[in-house]
Amino acid sequence: MKPKWSVALGVATSAVLWAGASYASTGVQMVRAEFDNIGIQLNGRPVTVTAQPMIYNYNVYVPISTVAHALGAHVAWVNSPAAVMVTAPPSAQPLRVFYNGTALPGGVTNGTSYADVPATTAAYMQATGLKTTVDTAGNVNFAPAAGSSLPAGATALTALTPSTLLGDFANTTLYPGGRLTNQWPATVIGQLYPGSSTVEWGIMPGQTSKIPGLDYNLGGRYRTLTGLFAVDDLSKNYNGTVRLVFLGDGVTLAQTPWMQGGSAPAAVSVDVSGVQNLQIQYQVKDAQGTVYATGQSYVAPPQNPDGSKTDPIVFTDFIDPALTP
Amino acid sequence: MKKWKRTLSGYVTGLGIGALCFGGLTYANTGMMTIAAHYANIKLLTNGTTINTAAQPFIFNHNVYVPVSTVAHGLGASVAWNNAKRQVELTANPPATIRRGNMDYAGLPVYNGTQTAYYRGYPYVSAFALATALNEPYYVNYAQRVAYIGRGPSTGMPIQAFYDVRDYGAYAMLHPQLAGPTYGWADGAPRIDGVPYPNANSLVWSSSTKGGSQVPGVEYNLQGHYSQLTGNFGLDDASDGKEQVQLTVSGNGKQLYQSPWMGLHQPAAPVSVDVSGVRLLTIGFSVKIGAKVYAMGQSMPAGYAVNIDFANVNVH
């Protein structure tokens, strides 16, 4: 039996050994190497080698193509200066995850461009209250596990047909088929709200808007109108304010505060007992203090307060308006 | 220089006749052999990074040979030598498959381009997207491979992890892409009275000497979940020194802290503010030239180079 060489695999060890070794950095060198049917395994499975690994100077040398291909890397040879370029997608590494100080099941990261977590698991749903689903194309949906946020027994305002659509709401280009909702989830100071019953209205730069309003025949069937009203984060830096005014049979019942961006939504709770005809009117107060009411035209400046020509001047969310009998 | 290329004849020569793969097959030659190794100062690069290897790659029989440890480490695999079996044992995680898709909330689109990783048969969702859906701050330390949603590490949550719910003055103006606060200098780190501070979690601002700059401020949503704001405030050493600056921190619209007026080469003011119960935190700057104060949102005159550093800002 021939003596077996011991082998150092650490890079640092190689460096130490190399410091004492000397060989040509260019040209041909006759070296004594051990060929010993050296195998390569990757994750417990043999790797097919096309040229023999060898042991030389306490290091196992392998044909780079063999190992690189086994590891899913692409190998290219560059002539001048002589170099082997190995490119590989960075491997996935474990990621530790803490949610408000509590460790959650770990995720994966490549250490540079993504940090992803197993959000679809029961542990995450329990910790976050979000039901997370993913399709095979990489689309992610987060749904609040709590479901509907409408009061018990309430009817979403958007489920009723308005008797009159006013201003922009009557513009079928902006609101095809009179559909007032279901475009976007509202976002207010970072908080997302499901958009399925949120009434959305905004002013785009350079457009002429007609301040909108909604009339409903309630026929005295409801007692309370509830919801939240806010300036959406799309226009968080808007310098003006907006509000809603509620009228029952021509009499002002309530109005929200003048709302500005970067503030929590105002809670709406309006007593509509006995009201036959409910009017919901929008009002905009621009940065100069001029008020524009339902039906009036507002000629928007060419850019929003941030300087953007594509983001809205102001965008409002009437979140989950609902009528309770 | 001749371009080395693996050829079929190269394989055959290298392996001996008929031995095309390893796996119990016997090579024609085993044991110690003297071989002609071609050295050519061959560099080894993985993903563009040169791997400094003491044991040089060489060419033998039309194959480039490298120490297995070098290439394995370069590709993130771990490697062990099984002396009994005379084999190299590599352990490597396969790369995840990344797909970019839409992030939806309750079935409606929020943004596109979220990265979902499919790894070992399971989907992994962007931690940032999850944090967005939860309206919580998000911070990832790639070097330590740890992600925080909500409360941060013991050193605190870096300020830039928090969502800016409203911007004021220059911070409300479009930078190249988006309006929002500026974290760190493009040409170096904050330096106050000769002391350098980390760039990443520093809130900074520079006036335009041409005038018209609006003194900035920013509002964050802390949701009442945090207890303390810490940092170091001062006038950056790059300023012209013709002005003084002041930091004002407010919680829920009420003033919590105001720094002294800070001049050039004045040591940074250590800031530690109790933010218990604060939902909306406002960090605002003021600039004083002579006796005239320009508060958050107000335009500054031309001819002044003021560089404000609120450095190393963490929320605990």
Side-chain angles (χ1 to χ4, degrees):
Chain A
M1 194 76 187
K2 58 188 174 291
K4 302 286 186 188
W5 287 46
S6 70
V7 172
L9 287 174
V11 173
T13 316
S14 311
V16 171
L17 292 168
W18 181 68
S22 67
Y23 46 71
S25 59
T26 56
V28 178
Q29 176 95 356
M30 300 309 286
V31 302
R32 279 180 64 75
E34 184 192 0
F35 292 81
D36 193 22
N37 286 350
I38 293 163
I40 303 176
Q41 288 209 334
L42 173 62
N43 295 333
R45 291 190 179 162
V47 172
T48 302
V49 297
T50 49
Q52 284 198 60
M54 66 178 90
I55 300 170
Y56 162 59
N57 207 15
Y58 305 97
N59 281 291
V60 174
Y61 280 76
V62 291
I64 190 162
S65 53
T66 300
V67 168
H69 290 156
L71 292 171
H74 173 76
V75 181
W77 169 258
V78 175
N79 251 344
S80 182
V84 181
M85 318 271 285
V86 182
T87 44
S91 63
Q93 302 286 332
L95 173 79
R96 287 179 296 139
V97 184
F98 291 93
Y99 176 49
N100 278 323
T102 305
L104 286 181
V108 291
T109 177
N110 63 353
T112 51
S113 64
Y114 70 82
D116 286 13
V117 298
T120 57
T121 58
Y124 273 76
M125 185 175 157
Q126 195 175 9
T128 64
L130 290 175
K131 188 178 186 313
T132 307
T133 50
V134 177
D135 69 14
T136 53
N139 299 306
V140 180
N141 183 57
F142 299 104
S148 168
S149 54
L150 301 187
T155 302
L157 188 71
T158 51
L160 305 181
T161 304
S163 54
T164 314
L165 293 163
L166 297 111
D168 280 348
F169 286 152
N171 182 334
T172 52
T173 307
L174 296 172
Y175 295 92
R179 196 181 75 160
L180 304 174
T181 191
N182 226 11
Q183 302 290 329
W184 308 93
T187 315
V188 184
I189 55 171
Q191 182 65 52
L192 286 155
Y193 297 85
S196 59
S197 57
T198 293
V199 177
E200 298 150 345
W201 176 71
I203 298 171
M204 296 305 288
Q207 307 280 310
T208 299
S209 292
K210 282 193 103 176
I211 312 296
L214 294 164
D215 293 356
Y216 290 90
N217 276 324
L218 299 187
R221 291 189 301 277
Y222 299 97
R223 276 196 305 143
T224 318
L225 171 69
T226 54
L228 298 169
F229 185 65
V231 172
D232 194 276
D233 285 358
L234 281 172
S235 59
K236 61 189 176 187
N237 293 337
Y238 177 55
N239 290 324
T241 52
V242 286
R243 72 174 179 185
L244 293 180
V245 179
F246 304 93
L247 296 97
D249 302 321
V251 177
T252 300
L253 302 173
Q255 57 204 19
T256 69
W258 286 105
M259 299 300 295
Q260 62 173 11
S263 40
V268 170
S269 182
V270 183
D271 185 349
V272 293
S273 304
V275 167
Q276 299 291 318
N277 185 19
L278 173 70
Q279 291 172 281
I280 301 172
Q281 302 194 337
Y282 284 68
Q283 293 187 353
V284 174
K285 194 198 291 188
D286 70 11
Q288 288 70 43
T290 308
V291 175
Y292 300 84
T294 297
Q296 288 185 291
S297 289
Y298 177 87
V299 181
Q303 58 184 38
N304 81 3
D306 298 340
S308 166
K309 292 176 177 149
T310 51
D311 291 338
I313 301 285
V314 62
F315 198 89
T316 66
D317 300 312
F318 189 14
I319 298 167
D320 291 339
L323 289 157
T324 310
Chain B
M1 185 176 293
K2 191 187 171 194
K3 182 172 181 178
W4 289 96
K5 226 179 159 182
R6 295 183 313 161
T7 62
L8 186 60
S9 66
Y11 297 149
V12 174
T13 315
L15 290 172
I17 295 160
L20 279 174
C21 68
F22 177 80
L25 289 177
T26 309
Y27 291 110
N29 298 303
T30 59
M32 294 304 292
M33 286 171 62
T34 301
I35 61 165
H38 295 248
Y39 287 93
N41 264 335
I42 299 167
K43 281 190 162 52
L44 177 62
L45 292 95
T46 57
N47 294 324
T49 306
T50 302
I51 308 288
N52 290 312
T53 171
Q56 287 198 32
F58 58 79
I59 298 162
F60 167 62
N61 252 342
H62 301 226
N63 281 293
V64 175
Y65 278 79
V66 294
V68 66
S69 54
T70 307
V71 64
H73 287 141
L75 293 172
S78 63
V79 54
W81 171 248
N82 185 327
N83 203 47
K85 291 185 178 169
R86 306 297 287 172
Q87 69 184 15
V88 176
E89 294 174 353
L90 297 166
T91 313
N93 297 323
T97 302
I98 303 295
R99 296 204 179 94
R100 287 175 174 273
N102 294 327
M103 175 193 155
D104 291 356
Y105 188 80
L108 294 174
V110 178
Y111 63 77
N112 57 24
T114 188
Q115 295 191 75
T116 299
Y118 299 83
Y119 183 64
R120 295 188 193 275
Y122 294 99
Y124 290 79
V125 171
S126 156
F128 173 69
L130 178 63
T132 301
L134 291 167
N135 193 19
E136 294 281 6
Y138 168 68
Y139 169 61
V140 60
N141 184 327
Y142 278 124
Q144 293 176 11
R145 296 204 299 264
V146 57
Y148 299 91
I149 299 172
R151 254 197 340 268
S154 58
T155 50
M157 201 67 161
I159 190 67
Q160 74 270 28
F162 291 85
Y163 175 77
D164 55 313
V165 301
R166 193 172 172 108
D167 315 303
Y168 298 92
Y171 285 166
M173 302 296 141
L174 286 182
H175 304 307
Q177 297 96 21
L178 290 167
T182 311
Y183 300 106
W185 299 106
D187 56 351
R191 186 175 282 271
I192 306 167
D193 190 32
V195 179
Y197 292 91
N199 217 0
N201 48 347
S202 294
L203 199 55
V204 303
W205 179 66
S206 169
S207 67
S208 163
T209 52
K210 293 177 189 153
S213 308
Q214 293 179 7
V215 181
V218 55
E219 189 167 271
Y220 297 100
N221 188 359
L222 299 192
Q223 309 200 60
H225 293 172
Y226 299 86
S227 61
Q228 197 191 18
L229 174 83
T230 58
N232 301 86
F233 177 74
L235 192 57
D236 192 278
D237 288 356
S239 305
D240 61 14
K242 291 190 269 187
E243 60 288 300
Q244 291 181 302
V245 293
Q246 188 178 52
L247 165 73
T248 305
V249 179
S250 306
N252 304 333
K254 195 172 126 241
Q255 184 178 312
L256 302 175
Y257 169 84
Q258 196 156 50
S259 78
W261 284 104
M262 305 294 292
L264 191 62
H265 300 313
Q266 205 173 320
V271 177
S272 176
V273 183
D274 183 349
V275 295
S276 305
V278 169
R279 297 184 64 81
L280 294 178
L281 178 84
T282 312
I283 296 175
F285 300 125
S286 303
V287 177
K288 186 158 79 172
I289 299 167
K292 177 88 174 118
V293 172
Y294 301 90
M296 178 174 87
Q298 292 183 323
S299 289
M300 273 189 49
Y304 296 92
V306 54
N307 291 255
I308 294 177
D309 293 331
F310 187 19
N312 203 15
V313 186
N314 289 287
V315 184
H316 311 260

